[in-house]
Amino acid sequence: MSSTLAAFVQALPKTETHLHVEGALPYELLNAWQPGQFPPNPPFRERSHRFASFPEFEQALLNAALPWFTSAERYHEATKLMFQKHVAQNVRYVETSFHLPITGFISVPGPEIIAAIRAAVPPGLEVRIYAGMLRSDLAGGLRPTIDDLGNWDGLAGVDLHGFEPMPTERDTAAVWARLRAAGKVTKCHAGEFDGPARVREAIEVLGVDRIQHGVRAIEDPAVVRLAADRGVTFDMCPISNVGLQVIPDLAAHPLRRLMAAGIRCTVSTDDPLIFANTVNEEYTTLAAELHFTRGELAQVARNGWEIADVPEGVRAQMIATINQLLTKGGESEGEFNP
């Protein structure tokens, strides 16, 4: 990677719109806290590591995150450092989700988590906080909490995540519609460990216009057209997709093809606690492995600002800055080479 490319990526005002709080716990906090249990460079954080299955990945995540997230103060400490890392990379806007409290998992009340995260946001960074939940949670003890989410101050929206082949509960569409009516944004993980039919379900049944991942939509041209026609955004995480073997390698990632088909795609890190990745690395990896031009990288950055929950003046300013950087670098603002 050239120093000029690294400088260009650093200068881009970027967004991160697919980030799990528990999965973004800075690993150095664990290492400093319990070095015997969390050595400096565990094998699962090596770039070459591949998880054999989603359950294997999930277990690694739980083993690392659960010992830490035992209080609102721990959420504050983790997100304070997490956000500092964003600012250092010139990330200006973040959408991040925390897992709703579950007995035996995380027992900190949701409103306390939201307050702790909001208190950790530094100047110069806009953060929107989402509540994440498993597809099965609507049928369990969390249902009263989920039904009350529309009344939670400081909550931007909700995200359905977890093991994708798990059936979507029948009431999900009605609950998601009520939350949208209450002003909350609804997201859904789809097209990662299950096929394009789950992307179609998320769009047509659940009514979302924000798909987390969406990679496997490429397997069905009709689903790609549906997402493009509906103006759906795919919040994609290429390095995560390789680590979880959703795709064999970065060269096989469909990001460029999805963008060329008219789908707005953003790029984020997903779970950097596990993948040891950064937003800047996601961009430079696209350049190195998929040969993205600066014009294409700039379009990815613009896409994030197009869907960011910010005043129109801020959106226009960030996009203008991106265009100026691109013009300064000698490429046309609209360049895109599918």
Side-chain angles (χ1 to χ4, degrees):
M1 179 184 63
S2 71
S3 59
T4 54
L5 174 63
F8 174 75
V9 169
Q10 173 65 27
L12 287 172
K14 296 174 290 293
T15 67
E16 171 138 56
T17 52
H18 184 162
L19 181 69
H20 301 274
V21 168
E22 293 83 10
L25 168 64
Y27 188 80
E28 56 263 45
L29 291 179
L30 289 176
N31 175 244
W33 175 51
Q34 296 282 357
Q37 184 177 354
F38 302 105
N41 299 299
F44 68 81
R45 281 172 56 86
E46 295 292 331
R47 184 59 67 242
S48 60
H49 185 78
R50 300 292 181 267
F51 287 93
S53 65
F54 182 85
E56 180 187 307
F57 154 77
E58 188 174 48
Q59 193 58 56
L61 175 59
L62 295 177
N63 288 344
L66 283 187
W68 179 269
F69 288 106
T70 57
S71 67
E73 290 74 20
R74 285 282 180 83
Y75 272 92
H76 181 270
E77 184 176 357
T79 53
K80 182 177 181 180
L81 181 54
M82 180 179 86
F83 293 147
Q84 287 173 0
K85 292 173 179 286
H86 282 115
V87 171
Q89 296 175 80
N90 202 25
V91 174
R92 308 283 191 88
Y93 175 87
V94 173
E95 294 178 1
T96 188
S97 64
F98 67 92
H99 202 295
L100 285 176
I102 302 174
T103 302
F105 184 74
I106 293 170
S107 58
V108 185
E112 292 185 19
I113 295 175
I114 293 171
I117 295 172
R118 292 182 70 181
V121 178
L125 183 67
E126 290 289 334
V127 174
R128 303 293 178 263
I129 303 170
Y130 286 70
M133 65 203 74
L134 302 178
R135 291 177 181 271
S136 57
D137 284 344
L138 275 87
L142 269 179
R143 181 58 185 268
T145 299
I146 295 170
D147 285 340
D148 190 46
L149 290 177
N151 299 315
W152 285 20
D153 292 335
L155 185 70
V158 294
D159 178 20
L160 202 62
H161 63 211
F163 190 49
E164 191 180 345
M166 183 182 298
T168 304
E169 291 296 327
R170 186 180 306 172
D171 288 349
T172 306
V175 172
W176 254 225
R178 287 199 299 271
L179 287 167
R180 283 193 295 272
K184 308 300 183 185
V185 176
T186 53
K187 297 183 179 184
C188 181
H189 280 58
E192 184 188 18
F193 284 93
D194 208 343
R198 298 313 289 270
V199 177
R200 179 181 292 279
E201 175 196 54
I203 297 170
E204 293 187 334
V205 179
L206 302 186
V208 306
D209 58 15
R210 297 288 299 281
I211 298 291
Q212 307 295 273
H213 294 298
V215 182
R216 294 184 59 187
I218 199 68
E219 298 170 13
D220 187 341
V223 172
V224 172
R225 288 194 300 272
L226 171 69
D229 291 346
R230 296 282 185 94
V232 174
T233 297
F234 286 3
D235 294 310
M236 309 193 86
C237 307
I239 291 175
S240 165
N241 296 153
V242 174
L244 291 173
Q245 301 196 73
V246 175
I247 54 171
D249 52 49
L250 257 299
H253 203 284
L255 176 59
R256 176 184 275 120
R257 286 176 285 160
L258 291 167
M259 290 175 63
I263 297 176
R264 181 190 295 112
C265 296
T266 68
V267 168
S268 298
T269 59
D270 199 4
D271 295 286
L273 165 63
I274 300 299
F275 302 113
N277 52 341
T278 67
V279 175
N280 279 359
E281 185 187 5
E282 295 286 345
Y283 277 75
T284 57
T285 298
L286 291 180
E289 302 294 335
L290 278 171
H291 308 295
F292 266 44
T293 65
R294 294 189 184 193
E296 291 172 309
L297 296 176
Q299 186 58 54
V300 171
R302 286 193 207 99
N303 289 346
W305 288 107
E306 287 176 4
I307 51 90
D309 177 21
V310 295
E312 288 302 321
V314 172
R315 190 187 333 279
Q317 179 184 2
M318 294 298 104
I319 291 176
T321 298
I322 293 167
N323 292 342
Q324 289 166 5
L325 287 167
L326 192 57
T327 302
K328 185 178 179 180
E331 293 194 40
S332 165
E333 291 181 10
E335 178 173 335
F336 187 85
N337 296 320

